């Protein structure tokens, strides 16, 4: 395992820290889809160049009954850690890495990589950060926080998306969508699944890619996706535990996306080198 990858696992402020942070607030909500933990130990096995997760002596399977198999060891370790973090009850709604892997393996909606890329590029037309308020304190805040991310996005992906202070924002040009599509299609199926999960979490393609590309931290990306809500609660107050729960859940989801896309991207690079 590389030094950089080891740091991800060991740093207390790492993505894994955020991934499991919601355990501290689970007791605040009633969990409906839970079952008792039935295993003592978790582990991983290497099989035919891929990796499986074990619960005691049982091999983990997906909701469709397929064998749970991933391409690389760090991802398998992270999933095993996710299962080991479950205490009295197994709360699968908090197990975002497992959910992402299950989606890739089972592909319940029979989507292709092209389907998902098309979904992402069309989502740009309604991206959260492209719709900004009219002249107000909120507008000033959005300009200060969102505009630098839009500028980075345009430069990084060689596009020219524009913000709007009205609801009749012009759609993103087909040229820009095509340019972004080429970038997204260069990634493997699993990584693109991760992109979709991130977009659905933040309601923003721009913030998701900025986080995955390390321009933003998960905490910052979540904050920017909730900027208007944070602004309003600053005026009207908030229900502290509910706010913290939602914020930690979003950070946990996004941390899972960053880890998942990183591990799968690294796996593709290794496979590419092996075939050369």
């Amino acid at each position: 395992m590389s030094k950089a990858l080891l740091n991800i696992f060991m740093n207390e402020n790492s993505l894994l820290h955020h991934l499991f942070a919601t355990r501290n607030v689970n007791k605040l909500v009633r969990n409906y889809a839970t079952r008792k933990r039935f295993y003592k130990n978790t582990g991983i096995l290497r099989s035919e160049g891929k990796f499986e997760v074990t619960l005691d002596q049982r091999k983990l399977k997906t909701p469709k009954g397929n064998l749970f198999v991933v391409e690389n060891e760090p991802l398998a370790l992270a999933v095993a850690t996710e299962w080991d973090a479950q205490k009295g009850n197994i709360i699968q709604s908090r197990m975002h890495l497992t959910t992402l892997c299950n989606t890739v393996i089972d592909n319940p909606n029979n989507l292709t990589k092209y389907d998902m890329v098309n979904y992402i590029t069309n989502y740009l037309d309604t991206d959260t950060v492209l719709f900004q308020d009219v002249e107000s304190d909120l507008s000033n805040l959005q300009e200060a926080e969102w505009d630098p991310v839009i500028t980075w996005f345009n430069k990084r992906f060689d596009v020219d998306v524009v913000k709007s202070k009205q609801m009749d924002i012009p759609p993103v040009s087909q040229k820009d969508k095509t340019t972004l599509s080429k970038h997204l299609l260069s990634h493997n199926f699993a990584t693109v699944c991760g992109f979709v999960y991130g977009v659905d979490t933040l309601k923003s393609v721009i913030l998701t890619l900025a986080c995955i590309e390390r321009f933003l931290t998960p905490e910052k990306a979540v904050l920017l996706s909730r900027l208007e809500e944070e602004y309003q609660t600053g005026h009207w107050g908030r229900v502290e535990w509910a706010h913290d729960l939602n914020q930690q859940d979003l950070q946990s989801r996004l941390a899972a996306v960053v880890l998942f896309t990183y591990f799968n991207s690294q796996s593709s690079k290794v496979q590419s080198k092996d075939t050369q």
Side-chain angles (χ1 to χ4, degrees), residues 66-85:
N66 294 312
L67 186 63
F68 188 99
V69 180
V70 295
E71 298 288 341
N72 61 83
E73 184 178 16
L75 180 55
L77 286 169
V79 171
T81 302
E82 199 170 53
W83 280 86
D84 192 53

Side-chain angles (χ1 to χ4, degrees), residues 17-31:
H17 171 73
H18 296 300
L19 186 60
F20 301 124
T22 52
R23 287 166 43 196
N24 298 326
V25 291
N26 280 344
K27 60 185 179 181
L28 296 175
V29 296
R30 181 179 178 183
N31 298 298

Side-chain angles (χ1 to χ4, degrees), residues 121-155:
T121 54
N122 285 332
Y123 205 106
L124 264 178
D125 289 331
T126 57
D127 198 290
T128 296
V129 302
L130 296 181
F131 292 88
Q132 300 189 11
D133 201 42
V134 294
E135 295 299 326
S136 66
D137 290 340
L138 175 58
S139 174
N140 294 334
L141 181 62
Q142 290 170 333
E143 288 183 2
E145 297 290 347
W146 284 352
D147 284 10
V149 186
I150 298 172
T151 299
W152 169 87
F153 181 82
N154 283 332
K155 183 177 180 180

